[in-house]
């Protein structure tokens, strides 16, 4: 079954690819595809002000419509996995350096 948001079809494959370990998607089922900073804050345990700061700095993907921010689930997943990808990248670089020595 395909999920839609308004008339827009949600790309489930991209969502699953953004959550390769399946850690978050099942927990995000109850949230709308386009979440407010309050939704993201409730999910992450941060404050909505902290989420707005992340959005304003471009650290989290979202769009601003007037004074209101909206965060797609894909943007949240990319943010949640960003630190993990960076850590894995650092680990790969360190291993490559050790092998070179």
């Amino acid at each position: 079954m395909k999920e839609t948001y308004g008339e827009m079809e949600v790309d489930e494959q991209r969502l699953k690819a953004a959550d390769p370990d399946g850690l978050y998607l099942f927990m995000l089922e109850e949230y709308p595809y386009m979440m407010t900073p309050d939704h993201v804050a409730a999910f992450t345990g941060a404050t909505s002000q902290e989420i707005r700061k992340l959005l304003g700095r471009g650290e989290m993907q979202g769009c601003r419509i007037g004074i209101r921010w909206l965060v797609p689930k894909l943007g949240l997943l990319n943010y949640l996995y960003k630190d993990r990808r960076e850590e894995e990248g650092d680990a790969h670089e360190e291993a490559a350096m050790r092998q070179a020595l």
Side-chain angles (χ1 to χ4, degrees), residues 14-77:
R14 285 185 71 193
L15 285 174
K16 288 178 183 174
D19 185 18
D21 300 326
L23 298 174
Y24 303 110
L25 277 179
F26 75 95
M27 293 186 291
L28 286 168
E29 286 177 358
E30 300 299 315
Y31 291 90
Y33 180 75
M34 295 297 282
M35 297 183 288
T36 65
D38 290 336
H39 289 131
V40 177
F43 182 77
T44 61
T47 66
S48 58
Q49 183 177 9
E50 290 170 324
I51 301 303
R52 283 195 227 17
K53 285 180 183 178
L54 291 171
L55 289 163
R57 291 191 304 253
E59 294 178 35
M60 182 180 288
Q61 298 167 324
C63 61
R64 192 169 186 163
I65 301 173
I67 61 169
R68 186 175 179 201
W69 280 102
L70 293 174
V71 179
K73 284 183 183 179
L74 187 58
L76 175 58
L77 291 171

